[in-house]
Amino acid sequence: MQPQVGIQEVRARLANARAVTVLTGAGISADSGVPTFRGADGLWRNFRAEDLATPEAFARDPRLVWEWYNWRREIIVTKKPNPAHYALVILERRCERFWLITQNVDGLHRAAGSRKLSEIHGNIWKVRCTACGQIAENRDVPIALLPACPACSGLLRPHIVWFGESLDAEDLSRSYEAVESCEVMLIIGTSGVVYPAASFAPAAKAAGAFVAEITLDPAPYSETLDASLQGRAKDILPALVE
Ligand code: APR
């Protein structure tokens, strides 16, 4: 186990770092009111995300999966970025080299002004044709339950990486490059159980970075990190970059 350090040390490391990489999960959007996946408020009609966010679930019952995404669209459309999202925009502008990797599909980082980012699990406001593969923005709330592709009439699906699917190769190589070349890595609001995102903290550590997490519940690998700051992202992140 590493001797862990407190918020002042993390702040000093951030202030002096030229290269910073950040990984975010549902916890950063929880402060905007978006339910997390594994929290009790993330349940819809007693389905777990793992029962709906799969290619098999969509093949079996695309209407049911779209109904679930409509429930999530209805929630997310009303939400705004919070001080934690804005703190990361400040960090991006201040750092020589910065990259944000988010597992969130809600688009709140982009809405806050983040530009150097990979949305590695996709975006809830994008759709992709299951027949021709065309990707388009679609902000309908609600979206039609069996939406059709304007180009070929094929069935549209959410442009989201589901359980059992691979991440986009370019996103993945860009993320690993950022993880392995940073001086400081922040891990914010993720339970650290979904791969490959769960491998980023150990990879940054192995490459010699100072790695700190901000979370309500420590992740499986928390003890191996340099710092584990427990609390709400919206309180801790602004204090780290102010
Ligand atoms: N501030 C900081 N951390 C928080 C806050 C908060 N206000 N609220 C919750 N958390 C933490 C929780 O302690 C938990 O560790 O955020 C984490 C959320 O974990 P999950 O719900 O598992 O979300 P995430 O890690 O993003 O899930 C990863 O799994 O369902 C799939 O593809 C989906 O992107 C998602 C992936």
Side-chain angles (χ1 to χ4, degrees), residues 4-21:
Q4 296 213 345
V5 301
I7 189 164
Q8 298 305 338
E9 168 79 11
V10 180
R11 191 157 70 166
R13 293 276 186 159
L14 269 182
N16 293 320
R18 279 169 302 143
V20 174
T21 296

Side-chain angles (χ1 to χ4, degrees), residues 66-233:
W66 269 121
E67 268 186 86
W68 177 55
Y69 277 103
N70 265 335
W71 174 71
R72 295 192 54 213
R73 281 179 169 226
E74 278 161 19
I75 295 172
I76 291 170
V77 75
T78 64
K79 307 304 181 201
K80 297 196 164 39
N82 67 64
H85 293 102
Y86 291 114
L88 292 180
V89 179
I90 294 173
L91 202 55
E92 170 179 322
R93 295 191 180 145
R94 177 175 107 180
C95 280
E96 219 171 284
R97 282 201 294 134
F98 177 91
W99 201 252
L100 169 60
I101 305 162
T102 186
Q103 301 170 84
N104 300 341
V105 299
D106 53 39
L108 290 180
H109 284 300
R110 222 177 264 285
S114 289
R115 292 296 173 263
K116 296 180 181 173
L117 82 163
S118 302
E119 293 173 310
I120 59 170
H121 289 172
N123 187 303
I124 198 166
W125 304 116
K126 290 183 182 168
V127 292
R128 185 168 83 239
C129 179
T130 55
C132 73
Q134 181 174 291
I135 298 165
E137 190 172 289
N138 179 311
R139 292 187 170 266
D140 295 351
V141 183
I143 190 170
L145 284 185
L146 291 174
C149 173
C152 79
S153 303
L155 177 63
L156 295 175
R157 58 164 278 176
H159 183 49
I160 284 183
V161 180
W162 285 331
F163 292 101
E165 295 185 320
S166 309
L167 268 60
D168 177 77
E170 201 176 308
D171 276 347
L172 200 56
S173 64
R174 179 133 218 194
S175 298
Y176 272 113
E177 188 194 308
V179 165
E180 285 165 355
S181 66
C182 67
E183 291 164 24
V184 174
M185 177 149 193
L186 297 181
I187 315 279
I188 304 162
T190 174
S191 53
V193 295
V194 174
Y195 280 84
S199 69
F200 292 157
K205 196 76 201 99
F210 177 90
V211 184
E213 72 168 353
I214 299 165
T215 181
L216 287 184
D217 315 287
Y221 47 69
S222 292
E223 286 192 353
T224 66
L225 306 182
D226 298 293
S228 179
L229 306 177
Q230 270 185 50
R232 294 192 177 280

